[in-house]
Amino acid sequence: MNVAILGVGVVGSEVANILLKNKKIITARSGQQIIPVVGVVRNLDKKRDVKIPLSADIDSVIKRDDIDVYVELMGGVDEPYRVVSEILKRKKAVVTANKALLAYHRFKLQNLAADTPFGFEASVAGGIPIIKTLREGLSANHILSIKGIMNGTSNFILTSMMNGGANFDEALKTAQNLGYAEADPTFDIGGFDAAHKLLILASIAYGVHGDPEDILIEGIERITKEDIFFANDFEYVIKLLAIAKKVGEKVELRVHPALVPKDKMIAKVDGVMNAVSVVGDAVGETMYYGAGAGGAATASAVISDLIDIARGLKTPMLGYKSPLEKELKLLAQDEIRTKYYFRLRVEDKVGVLAKITNLMSENHLSIDSFLQKPVTKSEGEVTLFFTTHTSLEADVKRVIGLLKKQNFIKEDPFMIRIEE
Amino acid sequence: MNVAILGVGVVGSEVANILLKNKKIITARSGQQIIPVVGVVRNLDKKRDVKIPLSADIDSVIKRDDIDVYVELMGGVDEPYRVVSEILKRKKAVVTANKALLAYHRFKLQNLAADTPFGFEASVAGGIPIIKTLREGLSANHILSIKGIMNGTSNFILTSMMNGGANFDEALKTAQNLGYAEADPTFDIGGFDAAHKLLILASIAYGVHGDPEDILIEGIERITKEDIFFANDFEYVIKLLAIAKKVGEKVELRVHPALVPKDKMIAKVDGVMNAVSVVGDAVGETMYYGAGAGGAATASAVISDLIDIARGLKTPMLGYKSPLEKELKLLAQDEIRTKYYFRLRVEDKVGVLAKITNLMSENHLSIDSFLQKPVTKSEGEVTLFFTTHTSLEADVKRVIGLLKKQNFIKEDPFMIRIEE
């Protein structure tokens, strides 16, 4: 089986190198040799640590008759979409690690692919076989929920704040120094990376459509040491979670930092590691843990797709051809129901607490726990922390809007959702 | 696709019921309907909560031409082996949850199956898709190690001792009252159940042969509260681990209680839950967590195999047809190298410690940590706890043999291996 690797960066080099290094065992498992015959790069002059022929002419490579499978590792959305579409029209198999491509075009690609094999295990959670798990391993189940820690950068920062006492800026700087965060970390810490992955998983589990712009995405940038202290005191950790849940005939998709009870398995996932908890109606809760990034771990997923193709895998790209369930639509963001945590910086004055609690109860929020910290920072101000019983997102937003207008509020009110 | 269910107990009923209950989503994923057309039982008079026709005549059912796949849930080894062999000779697909059948006959069954689909996801760790993960998800990797908590009964007992302060007998009784342990719990707490599962996983990962009788199996029966206290003090937990490791050109297989550092992910798996940690040369460490038993969780695995067969899965039973690696043999038990923990009940007398340490150093054991507890139980006796640096199993056995002969030893010396 001849393979072309489109994009020979960190992952592409590892794919070529592992195919050669583990050739014997891969051949035994595949039933045939998997040979990387060409790599496509933009710049032929750049030095690369690979032993395969290179080409800079992608359009001639995708027309070659001797190539059986194309591995797309180019990055971006539009150009990969053009290239992958051309390849699928020629009925050649595709393997990709490109989550953005799939977050925007997965259903169009599934239609184009039809019976042509299309692998994308590497697009979510690096080396963890979570696509295979949802598409095949748990295929007997109605999926009740998916909760993932799928961004290693964010989990590293939150773990550093939780265990090491760092504040957000210090933790981000450490992550950048260690190569875990980009110079511009927005895509990771803003929740967008996790949102792309969530959309991919949700399309397998539920057949639900949607672009990243359609779902609730909040990042971890506003989390402070005070939030961490509160969480710790009340037996929670803070994790950036990507959540998919079936609610009646709708699916709720959201990415945001969440307070998670310490004794939950997913709360125990620290540092750059990823994990995805999946609850099925038959299997109950299962969890999948491992490195969510890195050249070799991602290459492990890419090559597992190649081996599946060599073995003659016939499973449809997203795991189904006829609709999975009847018209599952996205739940509107205002209709989300969960528990909430608030941090409010207020004037230290008689009557303030009464005003807040009145405002909340008038808007259907009921307080579950409350903490007031001794006066800090500036004289005459105090920080209030409280959590609510299960409430409606629309009510919470209205309360935050109303609080902002009050004179006694000294900082923008901050809220984190609780996931139990 | 017509399915016969051989054995309609807890798992078989769930298979039939979930196939009916989740019919719509299973059909969408399978590309065809999966219909349970008959269940085979020993006693037709027994009341069962299933809505499928039943038969007591297994030999006529396995000859029926209208059946495409047989689900073997009979229990035992010899009779299922006879039945499954007959079915495979007729080129009909088989799905089984029977770990004992596979622990003894997996290579013979793979030869018999040849190109006939044979699923056994449910034989290891219930609903966790660990067979699929090893056979397909991590197929790019040389597997460096597998460490599993694969017996829920034992993990429940050890967790009760660790967190609840129960002693072994109390914890076992609780497990029995909750239905987590059999009246005769030997198969579970003696490590035999986990050993069967380990052999299955090791045959996929390494192609290594062996019967349960060929590997090191120790149970949790001799673990006391004192061991738990020591473990806790030294930042360990005690888990019954099933371990497979590649050591040079050999494979080490062993099942025994182990001290595991608290910060390892597998150390955090509590109660009846199962988890398997797999380290691959490309992917690094990954871990898979979920319910290891129970009718619905096991049925989830059985049905995922049925869906794979409906989808046209062609992967060979164990994941390869030609040998995976050249002559990987089992490592002799005496050649195991790890760290060890000892608990010794000795006479509280001058010179005893010197005698012990001399005896150890003469036999190449070097002490890593040491704890002496104040005199308890009977006057004039004391309990010593210590751990060694990495040592050879043969040396450890010799030391235990020599210690037993000493007058100052008041109880059989007890040892637990450490797994870091």
Side-chain angles (χ1 to χ4, degrees), chain A residues 78-340:
Chain A
D78 295 345
E79 175 66 359
Y81 182 57
R82 180 188 75 82
V83 168
V84 167
S85 301
E86 295 251 348
I87 296 165
L88 291 174
K89 281 175 197 157
R90 303 187 76 237
K91 309 273 180 215
K92 297 294 181 94
V94 171
V95 172
T96 181
N98 189 332
K99 54 189 174 278
L101 171 68
L102 293 158
Y104 286 98
H105 298 300
R106 61 204 180 282
F107 287 100
K108 283 171 275 179
L109 289 170
Q110 163 154 272
N111 286 340
L112 265 178
D115 291 324
T116 307
F118 192 115
F120 54 106
E121 185 61 73
S123 66
V124 179
I128 309 169
I130 186 66
I131 302 285
K132 182 174 281 289
T133 294
L134 280 174
R135 201 173 58 174
E136 302 163 28
L138 305 182
S139 54
N141 294 261
H142 282 279
I143 302 301
L144 306 182
S145 70
I146 300 170
K147 293 182 192 176
I149 294 177
M150 298 196 286
N151 183 267
T153 310
S154 302
N155 204 45
F156 177 86
I157 291 171
L158 292 172
T159 305
S160 304
M161 292 176 75
M162 203 89 207
N163 298 347
N167 67 32
F168 181 82
D169 292 333
E170 292 159 1
L172 172 59
K173 182 148 273 176
T174 307
Q176 285 169 326
N177 291 341
L178 290 168
Y180 295 151
E182 309 276 345
D184 176 359
T186 316
F187 189 66
D188 290 313
I189 64 172
F192 305 102
D193 169 75
H196 286 181
K197 295 165 179 169
L198 180 66
L199 283 164
I200 297 170
L201 298 185
S203 62
I204 300 172
Y206 302 108
V208 68
H209 289 244
D211 286 338
E213 291 71 19
D214 303 326
I215 69 173
L216 190 163
I217 305 175
E218 285 175 15
I220 61 170
E221 305 90 337
R222 285 190 64 197
I223 292 170
T224 65
K225 272 186 168 179
E226 287 180 308
D227 302 320
I228 301 284
F229 289 140
F230 175 89
N232 202 35
D233 263 19
F234 282 71
E235 297 296 322
Y236 290 109
V237 295
I238 302 178
K239 296 290 179 191
L240 179 69
L241 288 189
I243 300 168
K245 259 188 218 172
K246 204 176 159 187
V247 184
E249 296 300 299
K250 294 193 174 171
V251 177
E252 184 178 323
L253 297 183
R254 45 190 167 106
V255 177
H256 54 70
L259 291 165
V260 185
K262 274 184 188 170
D263 60 350
K264 296 273 172 189
M265 203 60 195
I266 204 160
K268 302 173 186 174
V269 174
D270 283 341
V272 292
M273 300 306 277
N274 279 203
V276 185
S277 155
V278 183
V279 180
D281 62 349
V283 76
E285 187 185 4
T286 57
M287 196 185 85
Y288 309 88
Y289 167 90
T298 310
S300 166
V302 166
I303 297 172
S304 75
D305 277 341
L306 292 173
I307 296 173
D308 269 356
I309 292 170
R311 283 165 165 172
L313 181 83
K314 287 180 177 172
T315 301
M317 176 184 158
L318 297 174
Y320 48 87
K321 284 188 176 175
S322 54
L324 257 193
E325 300 192 60
K326 208 178 167 186
E327 281 190 69
L328 282 184
K329 300 274 187 208
L330 282 179
L331 187 79
Q333 295 183 20
D334 277 352
E335 292 172 32
I336 291 168
R337 284 186 174 277
T338 187
K339 296 181 176 179
Y340 295 80

Side-chain angles (χ1 to χ4, degrees), chain B residues 22-213:
Chain B
N22 290 1
K23 188 169 110 180
K24 233 190 108 184
I25 204 162
I26 289 173
T27 305
R29 286 179 178 142
S30 306
Q32 59 180 303
Q33 277 195 46
I34 300 177
I35 306 160
V37 292
V38 65
V40 174
V41 297
R42 274 203 209 108
N43 178 3
L44 279 173
D45 297 330
K46 196 172 160 189
K47 237 192 134 139
R48 287 162 217 271
D49 188 24
V50 286
K51 294 187 189 81
I52 58 169
L54 297 177
S55 160
D57 181 0
I58 192 157
D59 285 301
S60 76
V61 168
I62 63 178
K63 289 193 186 82
R64 275 172 61 169
D65 287 325
D66 63 326
I67 290 169
D68 304 297
V69 189
Y70 289 84
V71 176
E72 186 277 305
L73 301 168
M74 302 159 64
V77 176
D78 295 345
E79 175 64 358
Y81 182 56
R82 180 189 76 79
V83 168
V84 167
S85 301
E86 296 253 345
I87 296 167
L88 291 174
K89 280 174 197 156
R90 304 187 76 238
K91 308 273 180 216
K92 296 292 180 97
V94 171
V95 172
T96 181
N98 189 332
K99 54 189 175 280
L101 171 69
L102 293 158
Y104 285 99
H105 299 300
R106 60 204 181 281
F107 288 100
K108 282 171 276 179
L109 289 170
Q110 162 154 274
N111 286 340
L112 267 178
D115 291 323
T116 306
F118 191 116
F120 55 106
E121 184 62 72
S123 66
V124 180
I128 308 171
I130 186 65
I131 303 284
K132 181 174 282 288
T133 293
L134 281 174
R135 199 172 61 174
E136 302 163 29
L138 304 182
S139 55
N141 294 263
H142 282 278
I143 302 300
L144 305 181
S145 70
I146 299 170
K147 293 182 193 173
I149 294 176
M150 298 195 287
N151 183 267
T153 310
S154 302
N155 203 47
F156 178 86
I157 291 172
L158 292 172
T159 305
S160 303
M161 293 177 74
M162 203 87 207
N163 299 346
N167 68 31
F168 180 81
D169 291 333
E170 292 161 357
L172 172 58
K173 182 148 274 177
T174 308
Q176 285 169 325
N177 290 340
L178 290 168
Y180 296 153
E182 309 276 344
D184 176 359
T186 316
F187 188 67
D188 290 312
I189 65 172
F192 305 101
D193 168 75
H196 285 180
K197 295 166 179 170
L198 181 66
L199 284 165
I200 297 170
L201 297 185
S203 62
I204 300 171
Y206 302 110
V208 69
H209 289 244
D211 285 337
E213 291 71 21

